[in-house]
Amino acid sequence: MSNRVFCPVCLVSFIIKYPLKGKDTVLCPVCGAKLEITAVSPEITARRFPQAPEAEIRERAENFARLRDYVFNEDKDSVIEGLLQKNEAHGDFFCPCKFDNIPENICPCLETRRNRVIKEGMCF
Ligand SMILES: [Zn+2]
């Protein structure tokens, strides 16, 4: 049995190092998304944990920051508000600071997942 989980948010697979029961909730170590395991055999499948949009994006942002040891600046609430507006208008949490509503701009965007904060001091 494979122990790989595919994250439907950041489109990356990661390894689960402990046995799953089939009703587990896991955190994507790449983007911080909270995922609900929907099957464990023949392969592990996961979906976004069903929750209200604001809870989902706040939790994801906080998980991502904790995973990377980042801290929020004073713009946090306005960025969350922008993410909620993008989700409402375009169906996902695309970065409100970027024009293109494409998968690589889903928060945390690919650039940020690839250590932009370390290089530039902040996310886009
Ligand atoms: Zn992910």
Side-chain angles (χ1 to χ4, degrees):
M1 190 177 92
S2 170
N3 55 355
R4 286 188 166 276
V5 180
F6 180 74
C7 174
V9 175
C10 68
L11 312 181
V12 167
S13 291
F14 59 94
I15 305 266
I16 291 283
K17 294 182 178 132
Y18 49 87
L20 294 170
K21 293 184 253 14
K23 280 281 181 187
D24 307 75
T25 299
V26 299
L27 282 191
C28 173
V30 180
C31 72
K34 185 179 185 181
L35 305 175
E36 180 179 67
I37 302 297
T38 53
V40 292
S41 180
E43 56 188 22
I44 301 172
T45 55
R47 66 174 178 184
R48 294 177 188 212
F49 184 80
Q51 60 187 340
E54 182 162 2
E56 179 180 349
I57 195 57
R58 279 192 185 275
E59 206 169 311
R60 189 190 306 166
E62 279 156 22
N63 291 336
F64 183 75
R66 194 172 52 244
L67 286 164
R68 301 285 177 110
D69 229 359
Y70 296 164
V71 291
F72 292 101
N73 65 23
E74 66 281 1
D75 294 331
K76 180 183 179 185
D77 284 332
S78 59
V79 173
I80 295 284
E81 188 51 43
L83 284 161
L84 286 166
Q85 286 170 11
K86 281 267 191 156
N87 184 52
E88 187 77 23
H90 304 288
D92 213 332
F93 299 106
F94 299 104
C95 177
C97 310
K98 292 186 168 182
F99 183 76
D100 293 319
N101 301 316
I102 54 177
E104 68 183 63
N105 288 344
I106 292 173
C107 183
C109 73
L110 186 61
E111 209 179 336
T112 295
R113 283 179 251 136
R114 289 185 175 163
N115 293 329
R116 185 186 205 275
V117 175
I118 290 168
K119 293 177 212 148
E120 308 287 334
M122 58 172 69
C123 88
F124 200 78

